[in-house]
Amino acid sequence: MLRFLLVEAAQAAARIQPDWRRRYLHLAMRRHKSIAKVAMGRRLAVRLYWMWRNGCEYSPSLECGSYVGQLGTGHGVQ
């Protein structure tokens, strides 16, 4: 049931948000559409997990759990 709901939510996100649509179309060209839908559902689940773990709110421009593009986070060489 959870996988079904994640796939449905990912499909809705792919219809509305251009970034999610671009990622879905890229996956659908490489794999079958049904595999791409489940992959997008997994991507949504990972994003939700990181939001829950870090306690951050949803922001389409911010990738929770990723330090890419953030300066001065204290990770790596500065």
Side-chain angles (χ1 to χ4, degrees), residues 61-63 65-71 73:
S61 62
L62 177 65
E63 293 286 335
S66 175
Y67 296 104
V68 176
Q70 296 179 9
L71 299 175
T73 58

Side-chain angles (χ1 to χ4, degrees), residues 25-45:
L25 291 174
H26 179 74
L27 283 172
M29 285 190 294
R30 290 177 42 216
R31 303 279 187 213
H32 195 265
K33 287 183 196 179
S34 59
I35 294 173
K37 289 176 186 178
V38 173
M40 293 302 291
R42 181 186 181 278
R43 182 181 301 267
L44 179 62

Side-chain angles (χ1 to χ4, degrees), residues 2-71:
L2 181 60
R3 185 173 83 165
F4 170 76
L5 293 174
L6 283 170
V7 169
E8 288 293 319
Q11 283 180 331
R15 280 193 300 267
I16 296 170
Q17 295 181 345
D19 185 43
W20 281 75
R21 182 171 181 78
R22 181 178 42 84
R23 288 180 181 174
Y24 168 72
L25 291 174
H26 179 74
L27 283 172
M29 285 190 294
R30 290 177 42 216
R31 303 279 187 213
H32 195 265
K33 287 183 196 179
S34 59
I35 294 173
K37 289 176 186 178
V38 173
M40 293 302 291
R42 181 186 181 278
R43 182 181 301 267
L44 179 62
V46 168
R47 180 176 279 195
L48 290 171
Y49 169 76
W50 280 105
M51 286 171 47
W52 173 68
R53 184 170 179 216
N54 295 336
C56 64
E57 294 184 12
Y58 176 76
S59 173
S61 62
L62 177 65
E63 293 286 335
C64 293
S66 175
Y67 296 104
V68 176
Q70 296 179 9
L71 299 175

